Amino acid sequence: MKTDGFDELDRGLVHALQLDGRAPFSRIAEVLGVSDQTVARRYGRLRGAGMIKVLGLADPPALGEIEWLVRVQCTPDAAVAVAEALARRTDTSWVSLMSGGTEIGAVCRAASSRDSDALLLQKLPRTPSVVGVTAHCMLHEFFGGPLGLVNKSGALTEEQAERLRHPASAAADRRTGAPPARTSPVALTAADHRLLDALAEDGRTGLADLATATGWSQSTVRRRLSELRADGVLYYDVDYDARHFGFGVMVSLWLSVAPSELAAAGTALAQHPEVAFACATTGPHNLFASVLCPDVRALYTYLTTRIAALPGVRHMESSPLIRRIKGAGPHGRGRIVSGPLTAAPPGRAR
């Protein structure tokens, strides 16, 4: 299922950018064993064709924000319109049509529990044709953030990956990707927000353009980028079509796990090569995962082997993705690919 025109060098480039979205082309070229010009040309072609995009994103927990996994049940005739309305909000990401086109899945962010009310308790339930809304608060992330699914692809060797990891990653937990523990949320200035807005559009935006956006000097921009990354506020993700890595099916899994086994099950789930994102949540289904497989046969094998072997699983619900409306970040736009069990998302399911 690897798409024509996307080769091993392209996959290595995507993996390199996932490890460090602003890595100089010269360093990537040295690791990949090609010339600087080759890497620059490949990136320019893929970026220009809309096949990949580097995103600089703010980590909500680092800012003290709360994230919700929201499931919206609609009448079939209204699902697309409701999903597109959700996608236009800057506090949503990963908006998708699920199941038979009557359910929408989305990630919503709020500055606090009180700020969650406007969307979750007021606007959505009052939207015409919305017949049900459930929201699950994310409690703990087992896999996600800077750790995209491409990191499990083997596109780069471990030695190559180690040479490309950003210095900020050295202080992170290599298993979870989590930055060092912080005692309080990081406070951002208005200029910080302008910086992050620019990076959410293009994580490789040049220093001169970032200086214009913030009103800072280029040296200040460079220093602030390092500070935000070291604090765990800023990370880089790559928007790409997972079919280039052989995946054709994406399913959201909702697992009900015994509380005593939740940590162990989540940790094991995070190691699965099929898992793009995994977190503990509130609600009767307390473990969520975004899973990608080559096809439905591979999905069946995965569910009946790896998932079946997880400790403490009492119940499982699976919901296939039919169409991606919005991807990562406040302005992200996912590739819209129709057809049951054929849509493949870009990178991360945050």
Side-chain angles (χ1 to χ4, degrees):
M1 291 196 60
K2 293 176 181 177
T3 305
D4 293 340
F6 203 94
D7 60 20
E8 292 301 323
L9 181 57
D10 295 325
R11 285 183 277 277
L13 176 57
V14 172
H15 193 171
L17 292 171
Q18 184 70 54
L19 292 166
D20 185 357
R22 293 184 68 89
F25 288 148
S26 58
R27 183 153 61 92
I28 296 175
E30 180 182 358
V31 172
L32 296 181
V34 297
S35 69
D36 299 10
Q37 293 81 2
T38 296
V39 170
R41 186 171 59 251
R42 287 296 182 103
Y43 176 79
R45 176 177 64 82
L46 296 174
R47 177 71 174 86
M51 298 172 73
I52 66 170
K53 185 177 182 181
V54 177
L55 305 172
L57 303 175
D59 186 49
L63 302 177
E65 296 179 348
I66 297 174
E67 292 181 285
W68 298 85
L69 292 171
V70 179
R71 306 176 73 179
V72 182
Q73 288 73 43
C74 298
T75 57
D77 61 316
V80 173
V82 173
E84 290 177 343
L86 268 174
R88 286 192 291 269
R89 297 178 60 96
T90 58
D91 57 357
T92 65
S93 59
W94 299 110
V95 180
S96 305
L97 291 178
M98 311 298 295
S99 303
T102 59
E103 180 178 319
I104 301 165
V107 175
C108 301
R109 303 178 310 281
S112 67
S113 298
R114 290 173 296 180
D115 295 316
S116 304
D117 292 354
L119 178 64
L120 303 180
L121 300 180
Q122 298 175 25
K123 293 187 178 181
L124 275 176
R126 296 176 183 177
T127 302
S129 302
V130 170
V131 298
V133 179
T134 56
H136 307 259
C137 183
M138 293 190 197
L139 301 176
H140 177 77
E141 189 175 284
F142 292 105
F143 188 84
L147 296 178
L149 184 64
V150 66
N151 288 336
K152 301 177 180 179
S153 69
L156 298 178
T157 66
E158 182 54 37
E159 187 272 336
Q160 288 176 311
E162 191 63 33
R163 291 166 62 190
L164 281 164
R165 284 192 179 96
H166 187 273
S169 301
D173 183 325
R174 289 297 174 81
R175 180 177 57 81
T176 66
R182 62 181 64 86
T183 57
S184 61
V186 177
L188 299 181
T189 66
D192 286 330
H193 284 291
R194 292 194 295 271
L195 176 67
L196 292 171
D197 284 345
L199 293 172
E201 293 287 353
D202 182 358
R204 292 186 68 88
T205 299
L207 291 177
D209 289 334
L210 293 176
T212 299
T214 59
W216 295 333
S217 67
Q218 292 189 35
S219 60
T220 300
V221 169
R222 185 183 294 107
R223 183 175 65 253
R224 190 56 177 151
L225 287 174
S226 297
E227 291 171 349
L228 291 173
R229 191 150 191 194
D231 287 341
V233 173
L234 172 64
Y235 70 92
Y236 294 95
D237 200 5
V238 183
D239 182 345
Y240 64 94
D241 191 328
R243 288 174 297 186
H244 296 316
F245 289 82
F247 297 109
V249 172
M250 178 181 179
V251 171
S252 291
L253 290 185
W254 298 88
L255 305 176
S256 179
V257 180
S260 61
E261 299 285 2
L262 181 57
T267 300
L269 190 66
Q271 306 307 312
H272 293 180
E274 298 87 353
V275 171
F277 178 75
C279 70
T281 75
T282 57
H285 293 94
N286 54 358
L287 183 59
F288 170 84
S290 290
V291 170
L292 287 87
C293 293
D295 51 39
V296 291
R297 182 173 298 180
L299 174 63
Y300 173 78
T301 300
Y302 173 68
L303 295 179
T304 55
T305 55
R306 290 181 182 272
I307 294 297
L310 289 175
V313 176
R314 297 167 169 171
H315 182 264
M316 179 192 75
E317 179 183 348
S318 58
S319 183
L321 182 148
I322 295 176
R323 182 185 300 178
R324 173 75 69 205
I325 305 297
K326 183 179 183 181
H331 314 295
R333 288 286 167 182
R335 296 176 181 82
I336 299 178
V337 185
S338 299
L341 291 177
T342 58
R348 186 187 175 236
R350 191 176 184 115

